[in-house]
């Protein structure tokens, strides 16, 4: 680790360009391992050819951890105005109607420059800068629910591969760097965002039919079980951490590209900032040929048409999107009114007994709050099913946080604990609103 004082800067010469790393000795990881900002820059330079495979010629959302991995992060869509002349940008239009000039990183110097801004993770859009309306990548995001084992994640990933093989597409697997896996699919840039999402939804539903006890395509958390295949990661303006991204976990875990032969026995904890450079030297980039395998969505879209003919309409979109044609009412099942039941039985709708346990910008802090609640209500915790614990990754315009709720549906009413102030209770959006109100009333 660099021993330089925090008020110094390190100037790196990278392929003929000069990149200034400010506060090079500032600790970005300090708990399980010690890593400075300069350590992270050097990590990314060591695997730059691999990292650039996932981000080159793509607009980037900057997810900035200016106070390190243990601090709060924020999303920055617009490129900083104070940037080197050799860094280019493109202008994206979003579903809201707004536009933003976003950075495009094409080389190792640009990669080092954004890491200096605090970009521990890399978040590229699934489009190339020359065609911002037609994705060249379909993304399969496997998101396990609380208590779901890593073995089940791998099982679903292998079923995704089998289905992709059947429809003539090649999937490229990687650990997410957290608890899940990603399977990325290069496609020809012929289809709109809506069509790519429609294909991803058909894939998710097909995998759920094949593995009904393990896989889920249900958007609402209270309906999910096992591993959720998040088709909405293919909606416009959504990004995921790309290959070789460092994740803000205590062990500085990395989103690791894999050969399919590695998937059955891989362990995400094996891939960290310390181990990936050596792996890269030894085996190279498992995704190096990814750009040579662009395929067609025709067969997945045929599958989508069959689902629709069988009565399966569109599934819910992310909440910040306008309501789409063919989309059912966008409300969680626990809050939805059943007009037919009401008309026949005249019974009031039943709400799921959900209580909020924790709100925190740090997932580990929220999960620690859940464990405290379980210890406090030990007998109640024993009655919960795996899918009764809902871990929501909330995302505002510029902030992210984790909300944990518990569904008490399996707990007899007389045993249900009361609603209490969440522990911790750190919702960034509420804090922002409170500050604005206080300022207005001052």
């Amino acid at each position: 680790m660099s021993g330089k004082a925090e008020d110094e800067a390190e100037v790196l010469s990278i392929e003929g360009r000069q990149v200034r790393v400010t506060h090079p000795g500032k600790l970005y990881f300090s708990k399980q391992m010690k890593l400075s900002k300069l350590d992270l820059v050097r990590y990314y330079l060591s695997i730059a050819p691999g990292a650039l495979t996932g981000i080159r010629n793509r607009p980037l959302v900057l997810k900035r951890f200016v106070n390190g991995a243990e601090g709060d992060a924020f999303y920055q869509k617009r490129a900083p105005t104070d940037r080197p002349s050799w860094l280019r940008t493109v202008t994206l239009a979003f579903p809201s109607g707004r536009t933003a000039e976003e950075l495009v990183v094409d080389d190792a110097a640009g990669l080092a420059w954004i890491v200096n801004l605090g970009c521990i993770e890399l978040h590229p859009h699934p489009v190339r800068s020359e065609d911002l309306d037609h994705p060249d990548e379909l993304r399969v995001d496997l998101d396990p629910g609380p208590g779901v084992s890593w073995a089940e994640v791998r099982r679903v990933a292998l079923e995704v591969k089998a289905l992709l093989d059947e429809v003539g597409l090649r999937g490229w697997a990687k650990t997410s760097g957290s608890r899940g896996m990603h399977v990325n699919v290069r496609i020809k840039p012929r289809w709109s965002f809506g069509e790519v999402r429609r294909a991803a939804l058909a894939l998710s539903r097909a995998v759920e039919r094949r593995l009904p006890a393990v896989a889920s395509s249900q958007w609402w958390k209270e309906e999910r079980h096992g591993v959720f295949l998040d088709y909405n990661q293919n909606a416009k303006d959504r990004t995921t951490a790309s290959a070789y991204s460092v994740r803000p976990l205590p062990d500085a875990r990395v989103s690791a590209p894999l050969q399919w032969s590695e998937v059955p026995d891989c362990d995400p904890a094996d891939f960290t900032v310390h181990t990936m450079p050596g792996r890269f030297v030894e085996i190279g980039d498992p995704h190096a040929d990814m750009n040579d395998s662009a395929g067609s969505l025709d067969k997945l879209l045929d599958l989508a048409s069959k689902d629709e003919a069988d009565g399966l309409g569109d599934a819910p979109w992310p909440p910040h999107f306008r309501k789409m044609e063919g989309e059912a009412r966008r409300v969680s099942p626990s809050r939805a009114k059943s007009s037919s039941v009401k008309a026949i039985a005249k019974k009031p709708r039943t709400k799921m007994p959900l209580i909020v346990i924790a709100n925190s910008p740090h997932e580990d802090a929220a999960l620690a709050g859940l464990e405290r609640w379980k210890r406090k209500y030990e007998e109640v915790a024993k009655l919960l099913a795996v899918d009764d614990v809902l871990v929501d990754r909330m995302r505002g315009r510029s902030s992210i946080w984790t909300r944990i709720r518990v569904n008490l549906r399996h707990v007899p009413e007389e045993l249900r604990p009361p609603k209490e102030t969440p522990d911790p209770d750190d919702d960034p959006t509420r804090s922002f609103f409170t500050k604005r109100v206080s300022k207005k009333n001052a």
Side-chain angles (χ1 to χ4, degrees):
M1 189 182 86
S2 172
K4 291 181 174 297
E6 290 237 337
D7 57 353
E8 295 180 357
E10 181 102 359
V11 178
L12 303 179
S13 180
I14 306 169
E15 298 174 350
R17 303 192 193 281
Q18 302 297 305
V19 177
R20 187 169 181 264
V21 179
T22 57
H23 308 299
K26 182 176 181 179
L27 282 178
Y28 267 34
F29 289 82
S30 64
K31 293 182 178 178
Q32 192 168 324
M33 63 172 63
K34 306 290 186 184
L35 288 170
S36 69
K37 182 197 283 190
L38 186 58
D39 292 329
L40 288 175
V41 171
R42 287 175 171 161
Y43 159 75
Y44 273 108
L45 291 177
S46 74
I47 48 80
L52 290 169
T53 297
I55 69 172
R56 183 183 282 114
N57 197 24
R58 299 183 185 277
L60 287 169
V61 173
L62 305 178
K63 186 179 178 183
R64 299 180 62 183
F65 295 80
V66 294
N67 293 312
E70 291 132 26
D72 296 342
F74 66 92
Y75 288 93
Q76 179 177 334
K77 292 181 179 179
R78 288 166 177 79
T81 54
D82 184 17
R83 61 180 184 269
S85 58
W86 42 265
L87 269 174
R88 64 189 179 101
T89 62
V90 293
T91 301
L92 270 73
F94 303 114
S96 63
R98 297 190 301 271
T99 61
E101 190 179 9
E102 294 196 6
L103 278 179
V104 179
V105 170
D106 296 314
D107 55 28
L111 181 59
W113 192 84
I114 64 170
V115 176
N116 179 60
L117 294 180
C119 295
I120 294 176
E121 301 177 347
L122 307 176
H123 280 258
H125 288 272
V127 292
R128 303 286 185 173
S129 61
E130 63 271 13
D131 187 351
L132 301 176
D133 295 318
H134 298 92
D136 72 333
E137 185 169 87
L138 181 148
R139 295 172 174 176
V140 184
D141 182 2
L142 306 182
D143 183 9
V148 176
S149 71
W150 177 245
E152 290 175 305
V153 176
R154 292 180 300 191
R155 182 181 174 193
V156 175
L158 292 169
E159 195 62 46
V160 168
K161 179 187 185 300
L163 178 60
L164 290 172
D165 289 344
E166 291 172 20
V167 297
L169 291 169
R170 183 172 180 183
W172 301 79
K174 66 184 184 72
T175 64
S176 70
S178 183
R179 298 181 59 243
M181 291 190 75
H182 298 155
V183 181
N184 293 340
V185 183
R186 282 288 189 269
I187 57 174
K188 298 172 184 176
R190 287 172 34 198
W191 295 274
S192 68
F193 277 93
E195 290 170 318
V196 175
R197 176 188 172 278
R198 181 169 169 253
L201 175 58
L203 182 149
S204 300
R205 285 171 167 169
V207 173
E208 182 179 32
R209 285 191 290 268
R210 294 179 178 206
L211 297 175
V214 180
S216 175
S217 66
Q218 303 304 310
W219 174 253
W220 300 110
K221 285 185 168 64
E222 61 200 59
E223 292 189 319
R224 290 182 201 167
H225 62 274
V227 180
F228 172 50
L229 292 94
D230 190 355
Y231 57 88
N232 268 332
Q233 291 294 3
N234 295 277
K236 191 172 186 180
D237 194 24
R238 303 283 283 199
T239 62
T240 56
S242 64
Y244 298 97
S245 285
V246 182
R247 308 308 300 273
L249 297 176
D251 59 356
R253 222 170 267 196
V254 170
S255 179
L258 302 169
Q259 301 285 359
W260 279 108
S261 60
E262 297 178 290
V263 170
D265 300 311
C266 71
D267 183 342
D270 290 340
F271 310 111
T272 70
V273 166
H274 287 318
T275 64
M276 286 301 288
R279 172 181 164 89
F280 193 81
V281 170
E282 182 180 351
I283 71 169
D285 178 16
H287 291 186
D289 298 328
M290 191 173 185
N291 291 326
D292 300 331
S293 61
S296 170
L297 289 182
D298 286 343
K299 290 185 178 180
L300 279 181
L301 292 173
D302 288 344
L303 190 57
S305 296
K306 184 179 184 302
D307 284 344
E308 290 154 8
D310 290 341
L312 279 176
D314 198 0
W317 287 67
H320 62 284
F321 280 72
R322 63 176 176 80
K323 191 173 185 302
M324 300 295 177
E325 183 178 352
E327 181 186 2
R329 187 180 174 200
R330 194 181 297 171
V331 61
S332 64
S334 62
R335 298 179 60 189
K337 290 182 178 179
S338 173
S339 57
S340 59
V341 171
K342 187 175 180 181
I344 296 171
K346 301 293 183 182
K347 292 182 180 179
R349 65 189 177 102
T350 301
K351 285 188 176 182
M352 288 288 185
L354 298 171
I355 58 174
V356 179
I357 302 300
N359 289 308
S360 177
H362 309 293
E363 184 175 357
D364 56 349
L367 291 171
L370 172 65
E371 292 308 311
R372 287 192 294 272
W373 183 90
K374 285 182 175 180
R375 288 194 296 270
K376 183 177 180 181
Y377 299 106
E378 188 173 350
E379 294 305 313
V380 171
K382 292 177 182 177
L383 300 174
L384 300 178
V386 170
D387 53 353
D388 284 340
V389 178
L390 311 177
V391 180
D392 306 307
R393 292 173 181 85
M394 312 298 288
R395 178 171 174 175
R397 285 189 179 180
S398 61
S399 60
I400 54 175
W401 74 101
T402 296
R403 177 184 68 182
I404 297 182
R405 296 176 295 163
V406 167
N407 191 336
L408 300 174
R409 58 186 171 173
H410 293 117
V411 180
E413 197 163 342
E414 64 274 13
L415 297 180
R416 291 176 185 173
K419 292 184 179 180
E420 301 171 334
T421 301
D423 172 29
D425 189 23
D426 189 5
D427 176 344
T429 58
R430 186 175 60 247
S431 301
F432 174 74
F433 176 76
T434 302
K435 290 176 184 176
R436 289 192 64 184
V437 172
S438 300
K439 186 177 181 180
K440 183 178 179 181
N441 294 336

